[in-house]
Amino acid sequence: MSDIAPLADGDAREAPALPAGLLLPLSTIGSFPKPERLKRARAEVSRGGDAESLHAIEREETSACLRLQEDLGLDLLVDGEMYRGDMTTYFAENLEGFRISGLVRSYGNRYYRKPVVVGEVRWSRPVTVEWFRYASGQTRHPVKAILTGPYTLMDWAFDEHYASRESLALALADVVRQECEALVAAGARYVQIDEPAVSVRPDEIDLAIRAMHRVTDGLRARTITHICYGDFAAIYPRLLDLPVEQFTLELSNSALGLLDLFRTSPFTKELGAGVLDVHHHAIETVEVVKERIRAALGVVPASRLWINPDCGLKTRSPEEAEAKIRNMVAATLEVRRSL
């Protein structure tokens, strides 16, 4: 990745933004399915193949992913993460203080190479900025920058250096903050900091909140966090003290059970409602998605409701992902017209 220009006042204001007053903005969580030729190229590089050829394919597939999102009618686009293998390993490979271990099972038949912290974690150069700039240059729509949060980076790594989970989480928060500032300097108006580990460690919610403060306090961008598949009942409503403006949450996989939880105490932030179950092959019909959107409108007003899938789409085939999003867009437009 190349170096970027230093932070300059006004850069972020020049980037495109969503239209003022747009109701039920449509977006996704971040990852899209990896095309077979990209998987083959990555496998070849792991056996000593040509890294430049892989990089060219990653750029081509990123462009194709952006065109697909435009064609489908999404409002806030993502780069699709064609250049990332895993949400934690990718960052560990590009930060100082890590080495990468062997394969560890994450869920189902999914595995990842777990990072190991072996020294002081440090940010020495931008990790995602070049890709953000590339994606933004491919579309007139705003592009959401997506990072893995400090608590999840800490929780999903082995630690052989720091004295406590707290000290590692806060050190990683400073690292993530530097990446956020570099993205804002490059024009990012929307920054999503993924923290899926927060919902499975309810006893450490206070630490996750402290770490997120270091990342987002005073940041000149709309801040979002994505959390999914955990014990939300154990951390709600304390969860809302995470200092971000929007939560993108899975609702569909849990049969909208989270909405019942949110009725126990007001949901005071923007809600990015997950209306597509990304762990199921079935394509939700337009009617089903409309029902889910209307259910979410029973908890938060339209002015604070965004529409997205439950989680990243990399678990689905390209055909399934496209069909699911197409129905999500159609359903959202129908509900939007009825408001």
Side-chain angles (χ1 to χ4, degrees), residues 18-28 69-70 72-77 141 286 289-294 297 301-303 305-308 325 327-339:
L18 294 175
L22 177 66
L23 293 177
L24 311 183
L26 284 151
S27 190
T28 61
Q69 294 172 74
E70 289 177 336
L72 290 171
L74 295 174
D75 301 305
L76 179 59
L77 309 190
H141 290 254
V286 172
V289 177
K290 285 164 59 179
E291 290 172 6
R292 292 172 180 174
I293 295 172
R294 287 175 177 139
L297 283 169
S303 59
L305 184 64
W306 292 53
I307 306 299
N308 45 254
I325 294 175
N327 284 355
M328 180 181 81
V329 172
T332 301
L333 294 180
E334 286 191 33
V335 177
R336 191 184 284 172
R337 285 192 292 269
S338 71
L339 297 175

Side-chain angles (χ1 to χ4, degrees), residues 256-333:
L256 306 186
L258 282 184
L259 296 180
D260 292 333
L261 178 64
F262 299 158
R263 290 188 180 92
T264 65
S265 182
F267 194 92
T268 55
K269 302 287 185 72
E270 291 179 349
L271 172 62
V275 298
L276 301 175
D277 185 352
V278 303
H279 288 298
H280 201 287
H281 293 287
I283 308 301
E284 291 87 348
T285 66
V286 172
E287 286 303 316
V288 165
V289 177
K290 285 164 59 179
E291 290 172 6
R292 292 172 180 174
I293 295 172
R294 287 175 177 139
L297 283 169
V299 174
V300 298
S303 59
R304 287 195 281 116
L305 184 64
W306 292 53
I307 306 299
N308 45 254
D310 271 3
C311 193
L313 289 157
K314 68 178 182 181
T315 57
R316 301 275 52 88
S317 70
E319 295 77 15
E320 289 171 344
E322 180 174 341
K324 281 175 175 278
I325 294 175
R326 191 177 300 282
N327 284 355
M328 180 181 81
V329 172
T332 301
L333 294 180

Side-chain angles (χ1 to χ4, degrees), residues 223-241:
T223 53
I224 303 161
T225 191
H226 171 63
I227 305 173
C228 54
Y229 310 118
D231 187 4
F232 284 92
I235 57 174
Y236 189 79
R238 178 65 168 144
L239 174 73
L240 297 174
D241 290 333

